[in-house]
Amino acid sequence: MNRPGRPPQDLPDPTTKLAEGWHCLHIYYRVRPNPKGVSLLAGREELIKILDPEGPAAPERLHLSVTSGHRADFGIMLMDPDPLKIDAIPQAIRMSSLGEFLEPVYSFVSISEVSEYVPAIEQYAQRLQQEGTAPDDPSYAAKVKAYEQRLPMMNKQRLYPDFPDWPVICFYPMNKIRHPQANWYDLPFSERSALMAEHATSGIKFAGRVSQLITASTGFDDWEWGVTLWGRAPEHIKEIVYTMRFDKASARYAEFGPFYIGYTMTTADLCDHLRLT
Ligand code: 76R
């Protein structure tokens, strides 16, 4: 028996790590003017060190991009099992000699996850049947087997993603709405699942052109998910966002926050581009 106020004995140790998946931070900065023309060369070297993906304090994943438009000048996306290792990066930037010139203007905190709508093997098999492939069709077994082989890799990519080496990155937050006439959270699981299957079918057409990472932020930030899209070229970003708005899951139930579009860069190129010299 536990005494009142004591946790039960069989709980795991308290931790800031996730049972599975990584913490994720998107943080955007604006560069402040430098009217006195102070040399930023030393600060530039500090920034290159802080953001060195091979450096001793580097988180597992680090992506840097120049952001278009007035909202921000550049963005950093960071992922790691340890949220404080991620947080140490903006702290180091703030305390560096570039700190006074770099103003954080937007951030988004989230975690990676395997969505409850990713079909298990049995659900995938059921879906094949619903779509008209009979279990005695030779392609049925082959498809189920291929999915069985693919699923662990796909889930690993969702939880511990490798970032593609692509030039365009788009980030935006989103919610599923709770409107009296369109409340996602009032729908039965079977209906949500069917809507997400339609969503997946429309998304899969962008394979090879867009790579997406959905990170969950309920309880971590003001929106429910962060959507990170990498594009092989800019037009694919417009096309996927436009196309997926017609998925019922988005058309009827989604709302979106601000969009940040940027271009992948090394820290040295970014400093040149931002005139941090
Ligand atoms: O294997 C599967 O069937 C995975 C299917 C899948 C899930 C579960 C999937 C596929 N997504 C899932 C979950 Mn998605 N996705 C978005 C957006 O702009 C918009 O309209 C919405 C933003 C895009 C662009 C996108 C792209 N997806 C989710 C969730 C979590 C829902 C939850 O758990 O409640 C959100 C918020 C979301 C939003 N999705 C795909 C894509 C693409 C391109 C695919 C197909 C590629 C793939 O399966 O990896």
Side-chain angles (χ1 to χ4, degrees):
M1 271 280 287
N2 290 307
R3 276 194 267 145
R6 285 276 181 100
Q9 299 302 307
D10 55 353
L11 281 177
D13 287 343
T15 175
T16 57
K17 311 258 161 59
L18 299 158
E20 57 170 21
W22 281 340
H23 291 269
C24 181
L25 174 70
H26 294 73
I27 185 159
Y28 290 85
Y29 286 89
R30 181 175 296 146
V31 180
R32 291 207 178 104
N34 179 15
K36 292 189 186 137
V38 176
S39 170
L40 303 178
L41 283 174
R44 172 197 162 105
E45 292 313 309
E46 284 172 57
L47 191 67
I48 289 172
K49 265 212 182 109
I50 294 167
L51 297 179
D52 179 1
E54 310 299 328
E60 290 287 338
R61 297 287 180 274
L62 192 157
H63 183 272
L64 195 60
S65 57
V66 158
T67 312
S68 281
H70 81 287
R71 279 194 194 132
D73 290 309
F74 71 99
I76 312 171
M77 178 179 177
L78 303 156
M79 292 187 85
D80 197 81
D82 182 352
L84 296 174
K85 198 162 177 185
I86 291 176
D87 195 63
I89 300 285
Q91 303 307 345
I93 293 175
R94 187 164 55 88
M95 296 312 282
S96 75
S97 53
L98 273 187
E100 61 178 312
F101 295 100
L102 300 179
E103 179 190 358
V105 284
Y106 185 76
S107 68
F108 194 81
V109 181
S110 57
I111 57 177
S112 60
E113 67 165 5
V114 175
S115 163
E116 62 190 303
Y117 306 109
V118 171
I121 293 148
E122 308 73 55
Q123 285 165 312
Y124 177 82
Q126 259 174 16
R127 225 172 252 178
L128 280 179
Q129 292 183 46
Q130 282 158 9
E131 288 163 8
T133 314
D136 55 3
D137 189 317
S139 76
Y140 177 89
K143 280 183 182 165
V144 173
K145 189 155 180 255
Y147 186 71
E148 205 170 347
Q149 281 168 350
R150 236 177 26 242
L151 188 60
M153 286 299 294
M154 293 195 301
N155 284 343
K156 183 167 173 263
Q157 175 62 17
R158 291 177 177 119
L159 291 169
Y160 313 103
D162 280 321
F163 291 177
D165 184 19
W166 286 355
V168 190
I169 182 166
C170 171
F171 173 77
Y172 55 99
M174 70 172 281
N175 286 336
K176 290 280 169 63
I177 64 170
R178 297 189 305 274
H179 186 275
Q181 259 85 53
N183 189 337
W184 176 259
Y185 295 92
D186 254 358
L187 300 176
F189 179 77
S190 56
E191 205 171 317
R192 283 180 276 132
S193 198
L195 290 170
M196 290 310 290
E198 183 213 10
H199 164 90
T201 310
S202 102
I204 249 151
K205 297 185 184 117
F206 292 88
R209 290 183 289 151
V210 177
S211 170
Q212 110 279 21
L213 178 68
I214 307 299
T215 48
S217 43
T218 312
F220 283 70
D221 215 313
D222 297 345
W223 297 79
E224 293 167 347
W225 291 276
V227 181
T228 307
L229 306 173
W230 283 271
R232 200 179 268 281
E235 60 270 27
H236 306 317
I237 301 290
K238 197 221 69 171
E239 200 186 330
I240 192 173
V241 175
Y242 181 71
T243 305
M244 299 196 81
R245 289 208 169 169
F246 291 93
D247 302 347
K248 204 169 169 198
S250 292
R252 195 163 159 76
Y253 296 104
E255 62 181 357
F256 303 100
F259 283 69
Y260 288 81
I261 185 94
Y263 301 98
T264 306
M265 288 223 179
T266 63
T267 316
D269 288 348
L270 181 110
C271 288
D272 289 345
H273 181 83
L274 299 175
R275 316 290 193 265
L276 295 172
T277 49

